[in-house]
Amino acid sequence: GENVEQHPSTLSVQEGDSAVIKCTYSDSASNYFPWYKQELGKRPQLIIDIRSNVGEKKDQRIAVTLNKTAKHFSLHITETQPEDSAVYFCAATDTGNQFYFGTGTSLTVIP
Amino acid sequence: DTEVTQTPKHLVMGMTNKKSLKCEQHMGHRAMYWYKQKAKKPPELMFVYSYEKLSINESVPSRFSPECPNSSLLNLHLHALQPEDSALYLCASTAGNEQFFGPGTRLTVL
């Protein structure tokens, strides 16, 4: 089955700086890669996703890049704000039936 | 209606109790899921229903029993749980590849 690794497990940045979270996957059949943000006590929320036929996708301050050859994808958050503080999970799936999650990154943005 | 709902929000139960968690979505999504989540850990897949049929059971103990009465509803029946079963139980549904989570039920087993 698929194995998704995520780094770092914790990340602290100053407000206004950029944050980068990286994930690798093992199954070349995986073709959809979502990122979820989970605030304390709340549900995971889909913040951005990328499909395997695309190398990069951007939505305001958030971007995701995918390198299919190396089997890794990354989340980039620019101009970080305190409300970006949360746990972020990457995931991978091939069929959309079973999602394989990374272990999570706890991001703290220091005002 | 564009979200997944879950009831109850919180549940405290003893090890001899029987209770049920409920999940509902009216988005016409084909697949529905139960996940268990411990603090700051990723969601751990328990069950997947696809077109109202159980398609994945991740070797979950029989004290957890899922049920999908129709395409909009998903239940999780709980019986004789252990304290280590205390967690956030998340329901999710999928449209294409996009997965949407409900707010979860915070379960405490005493």
Side-chain angles (χ1 to χ4, degrees):
Chain A
E2 174 65 282
N3 180 45
V4 178
E5 295 189 358
Q6 183 172 345
H7 300 281
S9 56
T10 59
L11 179 60
S12 292
V13 299
Q14 291 291 135
E15 183 177 358
D17 287 351
S18 295
V20 180
I21 302 171
K22 298 182 179 182
C23 288
T24 60
Y25 62 100
S26 60
D27 189 348
S28 56
S30 290
N31 57 16
Y32 175 70
F33 307 91
W35 285 91
Y36 295 90
K37 174 184 180 182
Q38 188 173 25
E39 297 176 59
L40 191 62
K42 297 195 175 179
R43 75 186 83 189
Q45 288 220 300
L46 178 67
I47 57 171
I48 197 166
D49 55 15
I50 193 165
R51 299 181 192 277
S52 59
N53 59 349
V54 175
E56 184 174 359
K57 184 176 177 181
K58 194 172 181 181
D59 182 4
Q60 299 183 350
R61 297 185 296 106
I62 294 174
V64 57
T65 58
L66 172 65
N67 182 326
K68 279 196 302 183
T69 303
K71 295 197 187 74
H72 66 72
F73 56 112
S74 300
L75 178 70
H76 304 255
I77 306 173
T78 58
E79 300 171 22
T80 54
Q81 301 167 3
E83 51 266 37
D84 294 328
S85 295
V87 179
Y88 291 80
F89 294 102
C90 64
T93 184
D94 59 351
T95 63
N97 215 29
Q98 187 159 3
F99 289 73
Y100 298 88
F101 287 86
T103 48
T105 297
S106 180
L107 173 65
T108 302
V109 179
I110 304 164
Chain B
D1 192 347
T2 58
E3 65 172 8
V4 179
T5 59
Q6 288 185 245
T7 55
K9 289 185 180 179
H10 301 276
L11 179 62
V12 179
M13 59 187 291
M15 290 190 285
T16 59
N17 292 157
K18 285 186 180 180
K19 296 286 184 184
S20 297
L21 309 184
K22 295 184 185 300
C23 173
E24 195 164 357
Q25 58 90 12
H26 294 287
M27 297 176 282
H29 291 174
R30 62 170 175 80
M32 295 184 76
Y33 305 71
W34 281 115
Y35 288 94
K36 173 184 177 181
Q37 188 181 32
K38 295 278 195 179
K40 295 199 172 183
K41 298 293 185 184
E44 180 184 334
L45 183 64
M46 300 175 73
F47 303 104
V48 181
Y49 274 83
S50 181
Y51 297 104
E52 302 171 47
K53 291 193 186 324
L54 183 64
S55 61
I56 296 175
N57 176 343
E58 289 289 283
S59 302
V60 179
S62 60
R63 57 185 184 269
F64 295 92
S65 175
E67 178 196 19
C68 188
N70 60 55
S71 60
S72 299
L73 294 174
L74 188 64
N75 297 322
L76 186 63
H77 303 297
L78 314 173
H79 174 55
L81 294 193
Q82 304 297 309
E84 59 265 29
D85 295 324
S86 297
L88 180 67
Y89 287 83
L90 292 162
C91 176
S93 67
T94 300
N97 280 348
E98 294 188 28
Q99 186 165 76
F100 301 91
F101 287 89
T105 294
R106 176 73 58 190
L107 174 66
T108 302
V109 182
L110 300 177

